[in-house]
PDB file of all heavy atoms in Angstrom:
ATOM      1  N   THR A  90     -69.884-100.779   6.285  1.00  0.00           N
ATOM      2  CA  THR A  90     -69.041 -99.766   6.918  1.00  0.00           C
ATOM      3  C   THR A  90     -68.120-100.397   7.934  1.00  0.00           C
ATOM      4  O   THR A  90     -67.153 -99.770   8.376  1.00  0.00           O
ATOM      5  CB  THR A  90     -69.892 -98.675   7.601  1.00  0.00           C
ATOM      6  OG1 THR A  90     -70.707 -99.276   8.597  1.00  0.00           O
ATOM      7  CG2 THR A  90     -70.757 -97.961   6.592  1.00  0.00           C
ATOM      8  N   LEU A  91     -68.407-101.617   8.333  1.00  0.00           N
ATOM      9  CA  LEU A  91     -67.493-102.333   9.212  1.00  0.00           C
ATOM     10  C   LEU A  91     -66.262-102.795   8.453  1.00  0.00           C
ATOM     11  O   LEU A  91     -65.246-103.123   9.038  1.00  0.00           O
ATOM     12  CB  LEU A  91     -68.197-103.557   9.807  1.00  0.00           C
ATOM     13  CG  LEU A  91     -69.398-103.278  10.698  1.00  0.00           C
ATOM     14  CD1 LEU A  91     -70.067-104.592  11.065  1.00  0.00           C
ATOM     15  CD2 LEU A  91     -68.978-102.524  11.949  1.00  0.00           C
ATOM     16  N   LEU A  92     -66.376-102.809   7.111  1.00  0.00           N
ATOM     17  CA  LEU A  92     -65.299-103.359   6.307  1.00  0.00           C
ATOM     18  C   LEU A  92     -64.472-102.306   5.580  1.00  0.00           C
ATOM     19  O   LEU A  92     -63.273-102.470   5.402  1.00  0.00           O
ATOM     20  CB  LEU A  92     -65.886-104.306   5.244  1.00  0.00           C
ATOM     21  CG  LEU A  92     -66.737-105.451   5.763  1.00  0.00           C
ATOM     22  CD1 LEU A  92     -67.442-106.122   4.592  1.00  0.00           C
ATOM     23  CD2 LEU A  92     -65.871-106.450   6.487  1.00  0.00           C
ATOM     24  N   LEU A  93     -65.128-101.242   5.140  1.00  0.00           N
ATOM     25  CA  LEU A  93     -64.477-100.293   4.244  1.00  0.00           C
ATOM     26  C   LEU A  93     -64.872 -98.863   4.578  1.00  0.00           C
ATOM     27  O   LEU A  93     -65.938 -98.625   5.126  1.00  0.00           O
ATOM     28  CB  LEU A  93     -64.904-100.579   2.785  1.00  0.00           C
ATOM     29  CG  LEU A  93     -64.574-101.982   2.247  1.00  0.00           C
ATOM     30  CD1 LEU A  93     -65.408-102.259   1.013  1.00  0.00           C
ATOM     31  CD2 LEU A  93     -63.095-102.052   1.913  1.00  0.00           C
ATOM     32  N   PRO A  94     -64.019 -97.909   4.243  1.00  0.00           N
ATOM     33  CA  PRO A  94     -64.417 -96.513   4.399  1.00  0.00           C
ATOM     34  C   PRO A  94     -65.674 -96.217   3.605  1.00  0.00           C
ATOM     35  O   PRO A  94     -65.860 -96.738   2.512  1.00  0.00           O
ATOM     36  CB  PRO A  94     -63.211 -95.746   3.833  1.00  0.00           C
ATOM     37  CG  PRO A  94     -62.071 -96.699   3.944  1.00  0.00           C
ATOM     38  CD  PRO A  94     -62.659 -98.063   3.743  1.00  0.00           C
ATOM     39  N   LEU A  95     -66.528 -95.387   4.167  1.00  0.00           N
ATOM     40  CA  LEU A  95     -67.825 -95.100   3.565  1.00  0.00           C
ATOM     41  C   LEU A  95     -67.697 -94.580   2.142  1.00  0.00           C
ATOM     42  O   LEU A  95     -68.511 -94.898   1.278  1.00  0.00           O
ATOM     43  CB  LEU A  95     -68.560 -94.064   4.436  1.00  0.00           C
ATOM     44  CG  LEU A  95     -69.992 -93.724   4.009  1.00  0.00           C
ATOM     45  CD1 LEU A  95     -70.841 -94.987   4.028  1.00  0.00           C
ATOM     46  CD2 LEU A  95     -70.571 -92.665   4.942  1.00  0.00           C
ATOM     47  N   ALA A  96     -66.664 -93.849   1.857  1.00  0.00           N
ATOM     48  CA  ALA A  96     -66.522 -93.211   0.547  1.00  0.00           C
ATOM     49  C   ALA A  96     -66.373 -94.210  -0.594  1.00  0.00           C
ATOM     50  O   ALA A  96     -66.679 -93.898  -1.736  1.00  0.00           O
ATOM     51  CB  ALA A  96     -65.313 -92.273   0.546  1.00  0.00           C
ATOM     52  N   VAL A  97     -65.876 -95.433  -0.298  1.00  0.00           N
ATOM     53  CA  VAL A  97     -65.638 -96.375  -1.385  1.00  0.00           C
ATOM     54  C   VAL A  97     -66.549 -97.600  -1.301  1.00  0.00           C
ATOM     55  O   VAL A  97     -66.369 -98.551  -2.037  1.00  0.00           O
ATOM     56  CB  VAL A  97     -64.166 -96.839  -1.398  1.00  0.00           C
ATOM     57  CG1 VAL A  97     -63.242 -95.680  -1.667  1.00  0.00           C
ATOM     58  CG2 VAL A  97     -63.804 -97.541  -0.096  1.00  0.00           C
ATOM     59  N   VAL A  98     -67.545 -97.543  -0.411  1.00  0.00           N
ATOM     60  CA  VAL A  98     -68.411 -98.690  -0.211  1.00  0.00           C
ATOM     61  C   VAL A  98     -69.085 -99.117  -1.504  1.00  0.00           C
ATOM     62  O   VAL A  98     -69.037-100.276  -1.892  1.00  0.00           O
ATOM     63  CB  VAL A  98     -69.478 -98.405   0.867  1.00  0.00           C
ATOM     64  CG1 VAL A  98     -70.607 -99.427   0.772  1.00  0.00           C
ATOM     65  CG2 VAL A  98     -68.863 -98.464   2.248  1.00  0.00           C
ATOM     66  N   SER A  99     -69.740 -98.191  -2.198  1.00  0.00           N
ATOM     67  CA  SER A  99     -70.526 -98.573  -3.358  1.00  0.00           C
ATOM     68  C   SER A  99     -69.660 -99.114  -4.478  1.00  0.00           C
ATOM     69  O   SER A  99     -70.037-100.057  -5.170  1.00  0.00           O
ATOM     70  CB  SER A  99     -71.333 -97.367  -3.878  1.00  0.00           C
ATOM     71  OG  SER A  99     -70.445 -96.329  -4.276  1.00  0.00           O
ATOM     72  N   VAL A 100     -68.469 -98.536  -4.670  1.00  0.00           N
ATOM     73  CA  VAL A 100     -67.588 -98.973  -5.745  1.00  0.00           C
ATOM     74  C   VAL A 100     -67.107-100.396  -5.492  1.00  0.00           C
ATOM     75  O   VAL A 100     -67.171-101.263  -6.354  1.00  0.00           O
ATOM     76  CB  VAL A 100     -66.371 -98.029  -5.877  1.00  0.00           C
ATOM     77  CG1 VAL A 100     -65.389 -98.579  -6.911  1.00  0.00           C
ATOM     78  CG2 VAL A 100     -66.827 -96.635  -6.262  1.00  0.00           C
ATOM     79  N   VAL A 101     -66.636-100.641  -4.280  1.00  0.00           N
ATOM     80  CA  VAL A 101     -66.087-101.953  -3.964  1.00  0.00           C
ATOM     81  C   VAL A 101     -67.178-103.010  -3.926  1.00  0.00           C
ATOM     82  O   VAL A 101     -66.993-104.144  -4.352  1.00  0.00           O
ATOM     83  CB  VAL A 101     -65.321-101.913  -2.624  1.00  0.00           C
ATOM     84  CG1 VAL A 101     -64.816-103.298  -2.249  1.00  0.00           C
ATOM     85  CG2 VAL A 101     -64.154-100.943  -2.723  1.00  0.00           C
TER      86      VAL A 101
END
Side-chain angles (χ1 to χ4, degrees):
T90 60
L91 297 173
L92 303 170
L93 301 162
L95 185 59
V97 297
V98 163
S99 61
V100 174
V101 177

